[in-house]
């Protein structure tokens, strides 16, 4: 069988006139599009007011370092929460897959957990934990709102991520477990050495997708009063009667999530290429 | 481990929902004997092999392997399975592991061998089966015949005394069948006890000490290959073989 000509295939699927011409057409059309949008905005009757309150260069310059420093807290919360979620969600997913009547309580618990925390708004969980838990005045219970914010994020996101894991585990054909068990491996060993490594690899793109959501949801912790990027922007914006700090905060969230999104796309594309090339599962 | 090798199956029943797949199987296989199971698809060949490897819970009957009743309550299924190798129609290699890791998984995790020892043994086995150059490859880089040979080596790596082969050439391109069957012939020459479900009648005739014809969940007829293939006693056996001959498979 002759190998399909990739250039020809993409021309049929995407339309176009060859790579170089395509690129210049894309550049010109993007430029024209942006030009039209910008002209529309700056010629709007209220543009001068909006420009003063949202795009104030002086305000931006003054608040940029403050928001940047506060954003480090978002990054820190994101990294800690992510590590905890990866482990905790896996425990939930495995619990939900335990076989037999003996493990019914654990299975039921896992189901109740995912149902509850996927149903309740994240901001509510953070409120209740952040104000409720320290309010108990128990010795040893941390009072730092950041801690409770992270706990809330871990609880909510683990419910989503455990479902992603579960989908991955269930996508592995039962014959893989049969093959592992036939060698004398226990069920736990089959899970650890054969099923989970394949399942996790399959769900990396959807996992990253959830982490993009997590990254921006770290801003929700600001409702507890901790000074993250959003809260810092709040403070400056209230003090200076100007919204530019919010745009600065948005800028920081975007420069983290966009590379993560492109990386996810790249992984998905690579997976698709592999499947098409591999053929045999 | 008992000195008494081989396999005894008595009154084995197995149903999936309302379909009775095995309806009283009695079979005994002596040590070093090669028994081929023939019969139409759905006659219960695969289910029988999966029951013997305890991959399917049975409804009634008992199974004795190497003198131990493996269907008795409280038997350690993981230990039992180490003594029985099974090779599947669809290879079922682990796609995320190299050939070497596929073969050493059982010895390392089930037998508890140190990595170096398991790898040395695996390399020896792979070399014996002509796979020395494929040690570091991943399964998707191998031909079907090579994959199935790796699967056989993987099953042998836990040093089983009984091998179960479940239509191991059915998923292969015709030109790849011979290399796999040659491996099985080698095992037979070395005296491995084997139960082989197969559609390759020429091969069964060639390698089996005894052929069992399964029909409707029971062993309807069994005997030496010459008798089964040239003078079958049962009508159903004659009809089955006539269909095989009509399909040009014998």
């Amino acid at each position: 069988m002759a190998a399909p000509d990739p250039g020809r295939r993409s021309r049929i699927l995407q339309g176009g006139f060859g790579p170089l011409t395509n690129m210049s057409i894309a550049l010109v059309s993007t430029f024209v599009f942006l030009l039209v949008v910008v002209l529309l905005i700056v010629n709007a009757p209220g543009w001068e007011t909006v420009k003063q309150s949202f795009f104030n260069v002086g305000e931006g310059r003054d608040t940029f370092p403050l928001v940047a420093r506060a954003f480090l807290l978002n990054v820190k919360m994101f990294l800690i929460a992510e590590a905890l979620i990866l482990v905790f969600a896996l425990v939930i997913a495995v619990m939900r897959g335990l076989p037999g009547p003996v493990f019914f309580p654990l299975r039921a618990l896992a189901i109740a957990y995912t149902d509850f925390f996927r149903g309740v708004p994240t901001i509510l969980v953070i409120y209740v934990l952040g104000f409720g838990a320290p309010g108990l005045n128990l010795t040893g219970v941390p009072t730092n709102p950041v801690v409770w914010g992270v706990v809330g994020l871990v609880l909510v996101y683990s419910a989503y991520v455990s479902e992603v894991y579960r989908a991955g585990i269930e996508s592995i054909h039962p014959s893989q477990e049969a093959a592992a068990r036939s060698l004398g491996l226990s069920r736990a060993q089959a899970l650890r050495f054969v099923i989970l490594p394949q399942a996790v690899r399959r769900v990396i793109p959807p996992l990253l997708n959830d982490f993009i959501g997590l990254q921006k949801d770290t801003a929700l912790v600001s409702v507890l009063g901790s000074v993250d990027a959003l809260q810092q922007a709040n403070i400056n914006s209230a003090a200076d009667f100007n919204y530019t700090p919010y745009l600065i905060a948005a800028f920081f969230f975007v420069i983290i999530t966009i590379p993560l999104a492109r990386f996810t796309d790249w992984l998905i594309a690579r997976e698709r290429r592999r499947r098409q090339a591999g053929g045999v599962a | 481990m008992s000195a008494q090798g081989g396999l005894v199956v008595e009154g084995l029943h197995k149903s999936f929902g309302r379909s009775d797949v095995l309806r009283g199987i009695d079979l005994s296989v002596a040590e070093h004997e090669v028994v081929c199971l023939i019969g139409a698809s759905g006659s219960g060949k695969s289910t029988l092999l999966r029951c013997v490897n305890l991959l399917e819970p049975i409804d009634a009957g008992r199974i004795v392997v190497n003198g131990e009743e493996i269907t008795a309550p409280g038997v350690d299924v993981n230990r039992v399975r180490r003594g029985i190798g099974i090779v599947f129609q669809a290879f079922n290699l682990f796609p995320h592991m190299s050939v070497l890791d596929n073969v050493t998984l059982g010895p390392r995790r089930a037998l508890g061998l140190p990595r170096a020892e398991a790898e040395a043994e695996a390399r020896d086995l792979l070399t014996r089966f002509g796979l020395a150059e494929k040690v570091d490859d991943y399964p998707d880089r191998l031909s079907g015949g090579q994959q199935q040979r790796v699967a056989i080596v993987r099953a042998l790596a836990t040093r089983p005394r009984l091998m179960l082969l479940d239509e191991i050439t059915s998923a292969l391109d015709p030109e790849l069948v011979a290399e796999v069957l040659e491996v099985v012939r080698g095992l037979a020459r070395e005296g491995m006890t084997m139960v082989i479900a197969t559609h390759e009648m020429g091969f069964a005739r060639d390698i089996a000490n005894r052929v069992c014809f399964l029909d409707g969940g029971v062993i309807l007829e069994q005997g030496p290959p010459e008798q089964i293939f040239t003078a079958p006693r049962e009508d159903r056996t004659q009809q089955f073989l006539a269909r095989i001959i009509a399909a040009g498979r014998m």
Side-chain angles (χ1 to χ4, degrees):
Chain A
M1 199 175 73
D5 167 15
R8 185 187 159 83
R9 193 167 145 260
S10 69
R11 198 173 309 164
I12 294 167
L13 290 178
Q14 295 157 7
F17 310 90
L20 254 180
T21 335
N22 273 352
M23 203 201 272
S24 23
I25 292 174
L27 275 175
V28 170
S29 80
T30 310
F31 179 75
V32 170
F33 174 75
L34 286 178
L35 191 72
V36 169
V37 172
V38 168
L39 282 177
L40 263 175
I41 292 175
V42 298
N43 287 315
W47 168 241
E48 275 310 314
T49 342
V50 169
K51 188 176 150 197
Q52 269 313 304
S53 46
F54 282 92
F55 298 95
N56 190 314
V57 176
E59 176 72 20
R61 203 171 39 224
D62 292 346
T63 53
F64 190 92
L66 293 171
V67 176
R69 198 173 314 129
F71 185 69
L72 285 180
L73 179 64
N74 293 87
V75 174
K76 203 167 123 191
M77 289 192 288
F78 169 66
L79 291 176
I80 293 171
E82 179 180 335
L84 294 174
I85 290 163
L86 278 173
V87 177
F88 188 50
L90 187 59
V91 172
I92 302 288
V94 169
M95 256 170 71
R96 196 164 171 176
L98 291 174
V102 182
F103 292 114
F104 175 77
L106 286 180
R107 273 201 304 277
L109 188 68
I111 293 170
Y113 173 84
T114 45
D115 281 359
F116 182 78
F117 281 104
R118 281 193 303 170
V120 181
T122 313
I123 196 162
L124 262 178
V125 175
I126 289 173
Y127 258 128
V128 170
L129 281 174
F131 294 127
L136 293 172
N137 286 325
L138 282 172
T139 45
V141 169
T143 51
N144 184 343
V146 174
V147 172
W148 289 108
V150 170
V151 170
L153 288 173
V154 170
L155 287 175
V156 170
Y157 271 84
S158 292
Y160 286 97
V161 171
S162 79
E163 288 297 287
V164 172
Y165 275 134
R166 189 164 73 97
I169 291 170
E170 286 178 359
S171 78
I172 305 299
H173 197 271
S175 63
Q176 285 286 310
E177 188 182 351
R181 299 299 306 273
S182 78
L183 296 172
L185 268 66
S186 68
R187 192 176 182 279
Q189 285 177 319
L191 195 66
R192 177 171 159 210
F193 297 113
V194 173
I195 297 166
L196 285 182
Q198 295 183 62
V200 169
R201 223 161 294 189
R202 265 186 214 182
V203 298
I204 285 174
L207 278 183
L208 282 173
N209 192 41
D210 278 345
F211 286 140
I212 291 169
L214 171 67
Q215 157 60 21
K216 58 178 188 169
D217 273 359
T218 55
L220 291 174
V221 180
S222 64
V223 299
L224 301 179
S226 56
V227 184
D228 76 325
L230 183 63
Q231 185 71 2
Q232 183 67 50
N234 243 336
I235 293 166
N236 289 102
S237 144
D240 305 335
F241 301 106
N242 191 288
Y243 296 117
T244 310
Y246 286 125
L247 279 178
I248 303 285
F251 165 78
F252 280 110
F253 282 103
V254 164
I255 56 162
I256 289 261
T257 50
I258 286 182
L260 212 51
R262 289 291 78 73
F263 181 57
T264 310
D265 288 350
W266 179 79
L267 280 178
I268 293 170
R270 194 185 64 167
E271 185 70 24
R272 191 190 311 127
R273 272 200 307 277
R274 266 195 194 159
R275 249 180 232 163
Q276 283 172 351
V280 185
Chain B
M1 203 183 284
S2 163
Q4 176 71 39
L7 164 73
V8 179
V9 176
E10 285 171 5
L12 176 57
H13 283 260
K14 171 71 188 173
S15 57
F16 294 101
R18 274 188 297 173
S19 104
D20 298 324
V21 181
L22 302 179
R23 299 192 294 180
I25 296 275
D26 293 294
L27 172 69
S28 97
V29 181
E31 194 162 15
H32 311 306
E33 195 183 10
V34 175
V35 168
C36 281
L37 308 176
I38 63 169
S41 298
S43 59
K45 304 186 296 290
S46 294
T47 306
L48 173 56
L49 295 182
R50 291 176 65 88
C51 286
V52 171
N53 204 22
L54 301 178
L55 288 172
E56 300 288 352
I58 66 170
D59 298 333
R62 47 186 237 128
I63 301 171
V64 178
V65 173
N66 299 328
E68 181 192 8
E69 187 188 342
I70 62 171
T71 44
V75 165
D76 177 359
V77 295
N78 299 327
R79 181 179 52 75
V80 167
R81 290 202 187 103
R82 280 175 233 150
I84 306 173
I86 186 165
V87 183
F88 304 93
Q89 179 176 345
F91 327 142
N92 300 359
L93 292 179
F94 307 126
H96 62 299
M97 292 182 185
S98 69
V99 165
L100 187 65
D101 290 342
N102 264 277
V103 176
T104 56
L105 183 71
R108 287 181 62 197
R109 304 300 173 189
L111 300 181
L113 286 190
R115 187 193 185 107
E117 196 182 331
E119 290 192 348
E121 273 187 31
R123 281 175 198 280
D124 281 353
L125 269 178
L126 287 163
T127 308
R128 256 180 58 202
F129 290 95
L131 293 159
E133 271 142 43
K134 305 294 176 189
V135 166
D136 297 317
D137 278 354
Y138 281 79
D140 62 1
R141 300 286 305 275
L142 306 180
S143 73
Q146 289 166 341
Q147 291 191 49
Q148 195 58 297
R149 276 149 60 203
V150 172
I152 294 172
V153 172
R154 181 177 69 177
L156 288 171
T158 50
R159 304 176 201 142
R161 293 173 73 192
L162 169 66
M163 284 287 278
L164 311 171
L165 310 184
D166 186 7
E167 296 188 27
I168 60 170
T169 56
S170 296
L172 293 177
D173 291 336
E175 77 271 20
L176 302 175
V177 169
E179 62 181 81
V180 172
L181 295 186
E182 199 42 54
V183 167
V184 181
R185 286 198 178 89
L187 292 179
R189 278 195 297 272
E190 290 166 23
M192 177 63 80
T193 315
M194 286 190 281
V195 183
I196 304 173
T198 186
H199 285 300
E200 306 281 344
M201 298 304 154
F203 171 69
R205 191 170 183 160
D206 195 29
I207 195 174
N209 302 117
R210 187 153 42 104
V211 174
C212 297
F213 174 66
L214 266 75
D215 187 70
V218 295
I219 296 178
L220 195 63
E221 179 169 5
Q222 56 180 308
E226 288 310 314
Q227 183 253 309
I228 296 289
F229 288 118
T230 56
R233 278 188 284 269
E234 299 286 336
D235 288 347
R236 301 278 300 169
T237 319
Q238 288 167 16
Q239 287 162 13
F240 172 74
L241 291 172
R243 281 200 303 274
I244 295 285
I245 289 165
R249 298 291 292 269
M250 191 166 80

